C-alpha cells in the first residue's frame, strides 16, 4: 500500500477560496509535521493521540497529533505534563533524519512552482506566486495544487493561507488548520482581523497581551481604534508596529531561500551525568543525528561546536573550524570529543549536551581537497549507505560512526 493510500482525505473547512486577485502571498504550514511523518510508518496509530518527543522526565513535546491536542497537549510542553493530561497517548522518540528528508522534498515542490520561496522552519514557508499566475493560474488554484502534491507525494497534509501580505497569510493558514485552504481577499482584511484576539498579532507575547488586556484591549479591533500615540507611549516603538498590523499593513516581501545557518541536536539527561564515557556515548549519538540531517538537507559545514550545561545551569560552548567542510559523523564526533575534553568538564555533572555544525554551504558546491599522499577514507559513502538502511529498516539500524574504536570509545564492550 502506498503512503498516499493511507492518508485520510478530509474536505477543507468552510470559508475557503474567495477573491484572490490581490493575494499573491501564500503561507504553507504542514499539519502536525513530525507526528504526521511518524504516522507514515505507524498507520495503525492514525486517529489516536500521538506525541513526538523524548520520553524522559526532562523531555519536551516536539509535535502532537490533533487527537492529542484536544487534551491540551502542545509543542514545547514538558513531557511529564503531556503524559499526565493525555496518558493514553503513544509517545514516539523523534527521528530527525526522516523529518529533514520530507522537509527537503516539500521545499522542492514549492521551488518548482516559484523561486520566491522563504522557508521559515522545516515545516512552513512563505511563497510569492505573483509571477506564476500566467503559467499556473490564480493563487487559490496554486494553493490547491500544492496541497494535492504534498499529499500525493508524501502522504501528509498541509494548510495554506492566501492573502495580500505575509502577516495575514500566516494567520489564515492557522485559522484553517488542519488540512485546509483559506483566502483572505484584499478588501476583506480588516473584516478578517478585527474579531481576532489581540494575541494573534506578531509581537504580542504573554506580557504584552496582559498589558493590553489591562488597558481594555482584547481584540485586534479594539487595538486598531486606539490612537497610535497612546500605543507608543505605552509600548514604545512596538506600539506603532502593532497599530499597523491591526489594520493589515505589512510591507515585508518574501525573501527567497533563507538557508539554514546551522544544524544541531541536544539532549537533556533524565539525571545529571558525570561519567565521561556516558557523555561521549551521547556525543556519538548526537553527531550521527546531526550528520544525517546535514546529508538530508544537502549541506556540509566547517565549524563544529559542543554545548555543555552543568547541573547549576551554567552553559559552556566550545567550537572549532575544520580544514574542510564535512557531513561525516565520524569527523563531527571526533571533534566534539576533543572539544569536550578541552573544556575540562570530564568529571563535572552535566544536565545537557549538544552538538552543532555551523558555517554551512551546499554539499554539491564543496569539493574535498586531499593532501599529497592522503587517501579517501570512504566514511561518507559508508554513512550514506547507512542512511538508506535507516530509511528502510528504521532508526535502530547501526550507523558506521558507531563502529569507531578509540581507547575511550563508548561503544567498546
Amino acid at each position: 500500500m502506498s503512503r498516499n493510500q493511507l492518508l485520510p482525505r478530509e474536505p477543507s473547512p468552510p470559508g475557503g477560496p474567495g477573491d484572490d486577485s490581490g493575494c499573491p502571498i501564500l503561507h504553507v504550514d504542514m499539519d502536525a509535521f513530525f507526528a504526521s511523518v511518524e504516522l507514515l510508518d505507524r498507520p495503525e496509530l492514525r486517529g489516536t493521540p500521538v506525541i513526538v518527543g523524548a520520553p524522559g522526565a526532562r523531555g519536551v513535546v516536539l509535535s502532537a497529533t490533533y487527537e492529542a491536542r484536544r487534551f491540551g497537549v502542545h509543542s514545547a510542553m514538558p513531557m511529564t505534563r503531556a503524559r499526565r493530561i493525555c496518558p493514553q497517548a503513544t509517545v514516539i522518540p523523534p527521528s530527525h533524519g526522516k523529518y529533514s528528508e520530507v522537509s527537503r522534498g516539500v521545499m522542492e515542490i514549492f521551488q518548482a512552482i516559484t523561486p520566491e520561496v522563504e522557508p521559515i522552519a522545516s515545516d512552513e514557508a512563505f511563497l510569492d506566486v505573483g509571477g506564476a499566475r500566467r503559467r499556473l493560474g490564480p493563487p487559490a488554484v496554486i494553493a490547491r495544487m500544492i496541497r494535492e502534491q504534498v499529499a500525493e507525494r508524501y502522504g501528509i497534509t498541509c494548510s495554506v493561507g492566501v492573502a495580500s501580505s505575509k502577516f495575514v497569510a500566516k494567520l489564515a493558514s492557522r485559522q484553517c488548520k488542519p488540512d485546509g485552504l483559506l483566502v483572505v481577499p484584499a478588501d476583506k482584511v480588516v473584516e478578517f482581523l478585527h474579531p481576532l484576539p489581540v494575541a494573534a498579532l506578531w509581537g504580542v507575547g504573554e506580557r504584552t497581551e496582559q498589558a493590553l488586556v489591562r488597558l481594555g484591549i482584547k481584540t485586534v479591533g479594539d487595538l486598531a481604534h486606539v490612537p497610535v500615540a497612546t500605543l507608543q507611549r505605552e509600548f514604545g516603538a512596538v506600539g506603532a508596529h502593532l497599530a499597523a498590523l491591526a489594520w493589515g499593513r505589512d510591507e515585508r516581501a518574501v525573501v527567497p531561500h533563507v538557508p539554514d545557518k546551522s544544524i544541531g541536536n541536544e539532549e537533556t539527561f533524565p539525571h545529571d551525568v558525570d561519567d565521561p564515557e556516558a557523555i561521549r556515548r551521547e556525543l556519538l549519538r548526537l553527531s550521527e543525528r546531526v550528520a544525517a540531517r546535514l546529508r538530508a538537507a544537502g549541506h556540509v559545514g566547517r565549524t563544529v561546536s559542543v554545548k555543555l550545561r552543568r547541573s547549576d545551569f551554567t552553559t559552556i560552548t566550545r567550537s572549532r573550524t575544520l580544514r574542510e567542510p564535512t557531513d561525516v559523523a565520524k569527523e563531527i564526533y571526533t571533534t566534539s570529543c576533543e572539544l569536550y575534553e578541552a573544556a575540562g568538564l570530564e568529571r563535572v555533572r552535566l544536565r545537557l549536551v549538544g552538538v552543532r555544525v555551523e558555517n554551512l554551504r551546499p554539499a554539491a558546491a564543496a569539493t574535498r581537497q586531499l593532501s599529497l599522499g592522503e587517501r579517501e577514507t570512504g566514511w561518507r559513502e559508508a554513512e550514506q549507505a547507512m542512511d538508506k538502511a535507516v530509511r528502510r529498516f528504521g532508526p535502530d539500524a547501526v550507523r558506521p560512526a558507531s563502529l569507531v574504536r578509540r581507547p575511550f570509545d563508548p561503544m567498546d564492550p
Side-chain angles (χ1 to χ4, degrees), residues 282-357:
E282 188 60 34
L283 290 174
L284 175 65
R285 190 175 71 88
L286 294 172
S287 297
E288 290 174 342
R289 286 169 58 180
V290 169
R293 290 179 61 194
L294 283 166
R295 291 190 295 271
H299 293 325
V300 291
R302 284 194 63 195
T303 302
V304 177
S305 66
V306 296
K307 180 178 180 180
L308 307 166
R309 179 167 296 161
R310 300 165 56 147
S311 58
D312 63 359
F313 288 88
T314 302
T315 302
I316 297 170
T317 58
R318 295 287 184 270
S319 63
R320 178 179 300 168
T321 298
L322 308 178
R323 187 183 67 178
E324 300 286 347
T326 187
D327 59 4
V328 177
K330 178 179 181 294
E331 296 176 5
I332 298 169
Y333 168 61
T334 300
T335 305
S336 298
C337 285
E338 292 170 352
L339 291 169
Y340 166 55
E341 293 160 12
L345 300 178
E346 289 192 85
R347 288 299 175 185
V348 175
R349 294 171 61 196
L350 300 179
R351 62 180 286 114
L352 174 147
V353 296
V355 173
R356 183 166 295 277
V357 175

Side-chain angles (χ1 to χ4, degrees), residues 101-244:
E101 180 183 3
V102 176
S103 173
R104 186 180 179 185
V106 168
M107 295 299 168
E108 288 175 353
I109 291 176
F110 301 163
Q111 292 285 351
I113 288 172
T114 174
E116 303 297 313
V117 178
E118 180 181 347
I120 57 175
S122 63
D123 60 344
E124 60 178 311
F126 288 108
L127 289 73
D128 186 335
V129 298
R133 285 174 179 265
R134 182 175 299 178
R135 180 168 57 94
L136 298 175
V141 171
I142 295 173
R144 281 193 288 268
M145 181 188 308
I146 288 172
R147 296 180 66 241
E148 291 169 0
Q149 290 188 15
V150 169
E152 290 170 2
R153 294 191 195 182
Y154 296 102
I156 61 177
T157 64
C158 62
S159 299
V160 185
V162 183
S164 56
S165 69
K166 292 168 72 172
F167 166 59
V168 178
K170 186 173 175 67
L171 284 180
S173 69
R174 184 188 304 169
Q175 290 289 102
C176 68
K177 277 185 165 293
D179 194 16
L181 164 61
L182 178 61
V183 175
V184 180
D187 61 352
K188 300 291 185 181
V189 167
V190 171
E191 181 180 331
F192 169 73
L193 286 177
H194 282 193
L196 298 178
V198 72
L201 296 178
W202 281 347
V204 177
E206 184 176 349
R207 289 186 178 181
T208 304
E209 181 185 9
Q210 292 172 353
L212 288 167
V213 170
R214 282 197 299 269
L215 295 172
I217 301 171
K218 297 181 180 180
T219 68
V220 175
D222 293 338
L223 187 143
H225 292 92
V226 175
V228 176
T230 301
L231 294 173
Q232 289 178 312
R233 184 170 60 251
E234 293 289 337
F235 302 103
V238 174
H241 166 74
L242 296 179

Side-chain angles (χ1 to χ4, degrees), residues 54-61 77-87:
R58 295 180 177 177
V60 296
V61 175
M77 173 181 284
M79 186 64 73
T80 50
R81 173 167 170 73
R83 301 186 78 164
R84 186 166 61 250
I85 64 178
C86 189

Side-chain angles (χ1 to χ4, degrees), residues 244-312:
L245 292 182
W247 289 101
R249 293 193 289 268
D250 177 18
E251 303 300 326
R252 295 168 309 145
V254 171
V255 180
H257 187 62
V258 179
D260 292 327
K261 295 181 179 179
S262 66
I263 289 178
N265 279 105
E266 58 188 43
E267 183 68 26
T268 300
F269 297 117
H271 306 285
D272 296 339
V273 175
D274 61 1
D275 179 0
E277 299 302 305
I279 299 297
R280 293 187 184 103
R281 187 159 50 246
E282 188 60 34
L283 290 174
L284 175 65
R285 190 175 71 88
L286 294 172
S287 297
E288 290 174 342
R289 286 169 58 180
V290 169
R293 290 179 61 194
L294 283 166
R295 291 190 295 271
H299 293 325
V300 291
R302 284 194 63 195
T303 302
V304 177
S305 66
V306 296
K307 180 178 180 180
L308 307 166
R309 179 167 296 161
R310 300 165 56 147
S311 58
D312 63 359

